[in-house]
C-alpha cells in the first residue's frame, strides 16, 4: 500500500475528459463537452469554468483533434490573471495560438511538468505527464481497436500489431495514474487492450474512459479483472475521487 505522499484529485468530465488536481497545478485532458448536466455551469455538472485557473496554474492537454476529444473553447481559458499552458497533438488545429504541439516520441517541459508523447492506434498521440511527483498517463485513442465481431482476421492482426508496437515503446515507464479506453461498443473482447495495459504497465490506479454516458461495460471489466491495480470507474460527470501516491 502506498504511504501518504502526493494527493491527486480526479474529476470525471465526460468520455475521455478529466481534470486532475495536484498540489502544484490543475490539468485538464481531452475536454470536449462544454454543456453541463443540469442548469448550472459547475465542475459538479462536468463543466470546466476558467476561474479555477485564477487560483491554480493550468496545464491543458489534447491527445488529438477528434470532436469527442477536443473543443476549441479551451483556448478561451487563458486570460490576464489566468496562467494556462497548452500541450496538444500535432494534428490539432491551433491557428497560431500559443501552445506546445507534439508528435509521437517527442517531449517537452512546460512550467516544471515533463510531457512525453507516445503513439496511438488512432489519430494523434498518448501522453505521459510527470509533474509534482506524480506520473500520469492519458491514452487518448490508444487501444487494441479490434472490433472482433466486424473486422476481418487481417484487420484484427494489424490492430494487434499496432497496439503492441506502442506498448513496447512504453516499456520501463512508471505510471501512477492511467486513463485508458474501456469501450463496450467494441463488442466481444472490448477490454482486451485495457487488460493488457494493466498487466504490462502495472499502474497504481487505472481509470477507464471513452464510454460516453455508459460506464456499465467498464464496471463489468473492473469487477472481473484480477489485479493489484486499483480501478476507479466514474459513474457520472462531475464525480470526484482522491488518490494518494508515494513520493518518488
Amino acid at each position: 500500500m502506498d504511504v501518504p505522499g502526493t494527493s491527486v484529485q480526479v474529476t470525471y468530465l465526460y468520455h475521455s475528459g478529466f481534470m486532475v488536481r495536484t498540489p502544484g497545478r490543475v490539468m485538464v485532458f481531452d475536454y470536449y463537452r462544454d454543456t453541463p448536466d443540469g442548469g448550472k455551469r459547475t465542475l459538479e455538472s462536468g463543466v470546466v469554468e476558467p476561474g479555477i485557473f485564477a487560483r491554480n496554474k493550468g496545464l491543458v492537454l489534447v491527445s488529438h483533434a477528434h470532436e469527442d476529444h477536443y473543443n476549441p473553447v479551451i483556448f478561451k481559458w487563458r486570460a490576464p490573471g489566468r496562467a494556462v499552458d497548452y500541450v496538444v497533438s500535432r494534428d490539432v488545429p491551433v491557428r497560431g495560438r500559443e501552445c506546445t504541439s507534439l508528435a509521437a516520441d517527442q517531449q517537452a517541459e512546460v512550467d516544471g511538468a515533463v510531457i512525453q508523447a507516445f503513439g496511438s492506434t488512432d489519430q494523434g498521440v498518448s501522453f505521459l505527464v510527470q509533474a509534482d511527483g506524480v506520473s500520469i498517463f492519458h491514452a487518448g485513442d490508444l487501444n487494441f481497436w479490434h472490433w472482433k465481431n466486424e473486422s476481418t482476421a487481417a484487420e484484427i492482426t494489424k490492430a494487434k500489431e499496432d497496439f503492441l508496437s506502442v506498448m513496447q515503446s512504453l516499456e520501463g515507464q512508471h505510471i501512477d495514474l492511467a486513463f485508458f479506453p474501456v469501450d463496450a461498443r467494441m463488442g466481444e473482447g472490448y477490454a482486451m487492450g485495457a487488460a493488457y495495459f494493466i498487466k504490462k504497465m502495472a499502474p497504481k490506479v487505472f481509470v477507464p474512459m471513452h464510454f460516453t454516458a455508459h460506464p456499465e461495460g467498464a464496471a463489468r471489466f473492473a469487477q472481473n479483472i484480477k489485479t493489484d491495480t486499483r480501478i476507479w470507474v466514474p459513474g457520472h460527470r462531475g464525480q470526484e475521487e482522491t488518490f494518494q501516491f508515494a513520493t518518488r
Side-chain angles (χ1 to χ4, degrees), residues 28-138:
V28 179
F29 294 86
D30 280 13
Y31 181 81
Y32 96 91
R33 177 158 290 191
D34 196 46
T35 53
D37 282 357
K40 294 184 178 180
R41 293 180 56 84
T42 64
L43 191 58
E44 288 73 20
S45 62
V47 172
V48 174
E49 281 294 275
I52 194 169
F53 301 113
R55 304 182 299 275
N56 308 272
K57 60 184 178 182
L59 177 62
V60 179
L61 301 102
V62 183
S63 68
H64 61 291
H66 284 170
E67 64 179 11
D68 62 337
H69 290 257
Y70 168 59
N71 187 332
V73 73
I74 63 174
F75 289 108
K76 296 181 179 179
W77 296 346
R78 177 193 281 154
R82 300 201 298 258
V84 183
D85 292 305
Y86 299 91
V87 177
V88 304
S89 170
R90 279 281 176 85
D91 65 291
V92 175
V94 296
R95 298 185 181 89
R97 297 181 176 103
E98 184 183 347
C99 63
T100 300
S101 295
L102 296 178
D105 302 320
Q106 291 186 325
Q107 177 176 308
E109 183 170 348
V110 178
D111 199 8
V114 176
I115 303 100
Q116 295 173 266
F118 290 87
S120 177
T121 46
D122 200 333
Q123 191 169 318
V125 299
S126 50
F127 287 120
L128 181 65
V129 181
Q130 299 180 65
D132 308 318
V134 182
S135 181
I136 302 165
F137 183 77
H138 190 285

Side-chain angles (χ1 to χ4, degrees), residues 145-159:
W145 295 114
H146 53 74
W147 305 99
K148 202 167 185 179
N149 296 338
E150 303 173 24
S151 302
T152 66
E155 288 170 336
I156 293 172
T157 297
K158 178 64 164 57

